[in-house]
Amino acid sequence: MEKKLLELNEDNYYSIQANIDYMSVSQYKDFQKCELYGKMKAVGEYVEPKSKALLMGSYADSYFSNRMEKFIQENPDIFKKDGTLKSDYEKANECISKATSSEFFMEHIKGQTQVIVTGEIEGVPWKGCYDFLNERITDLKLVASIRELVWKYDPNTKRNYQTNFIDAYGYDIQGAVYQYLGEQFFSKHMPFIS
């Protein structure tokens, strides 16, 4: 008898059961680092502290997907004691302001937000959540610089090397997986923009 998979929604997408039932790009990257680390994170035995970079990216994502109120409720420590935003989030607001003044950027984030898709890769159920979906898949990334090189460790050569942020953080893998899931879920090919 085949196991029934969890039907994903906004409330359970990041749950332990969803992580057990489905592979995701984040889990894949965790397992690439270390299989034990990946397993422990997936089943909730290890909860990684939220990094400043992750929180700032989530802050910007929350703004553009109209979920800022929920983000603030879940992360009240983004504010100083006097109630003003900490400097990192002021910088994120500057990025948001620049982005919203770009006609090109605003055109690419029209459509549905936080679209959950599922599919199968090599017989394994996968899940993905698109930041924005219209005729293309758009995933927001808040990065310090698109020009600076980033150090990355290659487990095959056991050496560090410098590369662009797309390769360093596996956004190329994310794009490929999101497109493949979209082709299964929507029965059509859509470009991926990150």
Side-chain angles (χ1 to χ4, degrees), residues 134-135 179-190:
N134 43 43
E135 288 303 309
Q179 281 187 307
Y180 191 64
L181 293 178
E183 287 173 6
Q184 293 176 54
F185 200 81
F186 298 109
S187 299
K188 67 178 185 177
H189 176 78
M190 290 174 284

Side-chain angles (χ1 to χ4, degrees), residues 25-26 28-29 32 139 141 152 161 163-177 192 194:
V25 173
S26 297
Y28 176 78
K29 290 190 278 187
Q32 279 190 313
D139 195 71
K141 301 295 179 208
K152 180 178 180 180
Y161 66 97
T163 187
N164 62 64
F165 76 97
I166 295 168
D167 175 50
Y169 302 119
Y171 299 146
D172 52 343
I173 294 168
Q174 181 180 5
V177 169
F192 175 82
S194 183

Side-chain angles (χ1 to χ4, degrees), residues 50-67:
K50 294 178 184 176
S51 69
K52 180 170 57 170
L54 175 72
L55 283 169
M56 287 179 65
S58 296
Y59 178 86
D61 184 56
S62 297
Y63 176 84
F64 288 109
S65 61
N66 297 315
R67 290 173 170 78

Side-chain angles (χ1 to χ4, degrees), residues 90-190:
E90 289 294 346
K91 287 179 188 172
N93 276 341
E94 289 174 24
C95 293
I96 289 168
S97 179
K98 286 180 183 178
T100 56
S101 67
S102 165
E103 199 174 303
F104 177 81
F105 176 84
M106 295 305 289
E107 185 63 31
H108 283 80
I109 65 166
K110 288 182 179 176
Q112 300 174 55
T113 63
Q114 303 301 307
V115 177
I116 295 170
V117 295
T118 57
E120 208 173 89
I121 299 175
E122 296 295 322
V124 176
W126 279 67
K127 64 179 179 167
C129 185
Y130 304 162
D131 288 338
F132 301 94
L133 178 67
N134 43 43
E135 288 303 309
R136 62 194 156 264
I137 304 158
T138 303
D139 195 71
L140 292 181
K141 301 295 179 208
L142 186 64
V143 295
S145 171
I146 61 169
R147 291 180 180 84
E148 288 181 28
L149 295 177
V150 180
W151 284 101
K152 180 178 180 180
Y153 178 74
D154 181 352
N156 295 321
T157 63
K158 297 186 178 19
R159 295 178 186 257
N160 290 314
Y161 66 97
Q162 285 189 303
T163 187
N164 62 64
F165 76 97
I166 295 168
D167 175 50
Y169 302 119
Y171 299 146
D172 52 343
I173 294 168
Q174 181 180 5
V177 169
Y178 277 21
Q179 281 187 307
Y180 191 64
L181 293 178
E183 287 173 6
Q184 293 176 54
F185 200 81
F186 298 109
S187 299
K188 67 178 185 177
H189 176 78
M190 290 174 284

Side-chain angles (χ1 to χ4, degrees), residues 52 55-56 58-60 62-63 68-69 71-97 142:
K52 180 170 57 170
L55 283 169
M56 287 179 65
S58 296
Y59 178 86
S62 297
Y63 176 84
M68 185 57 79
E69 188 176 316
F71 178 84
I72 290 171
Q73 287 174 350
E74 293 173 353
N75 301 282
D77 55 340
I78 66 171
F79 294 100
K80 299 182 217 171
K81 289 181 181 177
D82 67 3
T84 60
L85 276 175
K86 290 182 178 176
S87 62
D88 291 329
Y89 300 95
E90 289 294 346
K91 287 179 188 172
N93 276 341
E94 289 174 24
C95 293
I96 289 168
S97 179
L142 186 64

Side-chain angles (χ1 to χ4, degrees), residues 13-74:
Y13 181 85
Y14 295 102
S15 69
I16 291 171
Q17 189 60 53
N19 290 342
I20 291 169
D21 285 2
Y22 299 91
M23 178 62 78
S24 70
V25 173
S26 297
Q27 286 177 280
Y28 176 78
K29 290 190 278 187
D30 288 343
F31 278 100
Q32 279 190 313
K33 290 177 192 173
C34 170
E35 290 178 17
L36 180 60
Y37 168 77
K39 178 193 175 286
M40 289 179 70
K41 273 187 71 179
V43 299
E45 291 176 14
Y46 174 72
V47 178
E48 193 164 58
K50 294 178 184 176
S51 69
K52 180 170 57 170
L54 175 72
L55 283 169
M56 287 179 65
S58 296
Y59 178 86
D61 184 56
S62 297
Y63 176 84
F64 288 109
S65 61
N66 297 315
R67 290 173 170 78
M68 185 57 79
E69 188 176 316
K70 181 179 179 188
F71 178 84
I72 290 171
Q73 287 174 350
E74 293 173 353

